[in-house]
Amino acid sequence: MTALSTALYTVSTSEEADQFVAMAPGMSAAYAEQPGFQKLVVARDVMDPMTIVTLSWWDSQEAADAWTKSQDYRSAKNDSGGQGLKAKMEFGRWESTK
């Protein structure tokens, strides 16, 4: 069953929001190398541009958890320009109700 991982980020300035969005290409490449990864979408709220959401689809919740808990995840975040970026973050894990 496919698992959906979400992360809702809220930043304080438009510069931080731009920095976060600029990380997307590097993070997308790192996600693509992970076992069980299917797809990543990064979106900025048009009504509140200080809010960014990431949606990633995985083969399982375990695959998503393994990625977000890994040193590779932290390294990819830093290598993509996220070092020092502060954001309020809320994570979620979702599965289909078929």
Side-chain angles (χ1 to χ4, degrees), residues 32-75:
E33 296 175 2
Q34 301 311 306
F37 173 74
Q38 296 178 9
K39 179 180 177 179
L40 174 68
V41 173
V42 178
R44 193 169 181 178
D45 187 331
V46 295
M47 296 176 66
D48 179 5
M50 303 300 182
T51 302
I52 298 106
V53 64
T54 63
L55 305 143
S56 58
W57 286 263
W58 298 84
D59 291 343
S60 67
Q61 289 187 30
E62 294 79 15
D65 289 341
W67 166 239
T68 57
K69 293 176 181 177
S70 72
Q71 179 59 44
D72 288 343
Y73 173 78
R74 289 184 290 284
S75 295

Side-chain angles (χ1 to χ4, degrees), residues 4 12 18 26 30 39 41 54 56 60 63-64 76 80-81 90 96 98:
L4 170 62
S12 300
D18 292 342
K39 179 180 177 179
V41 173
T54 63
S56 58
S60 67
S80 297
E90 298 176 42
S96 175
K98 290 182 189 180

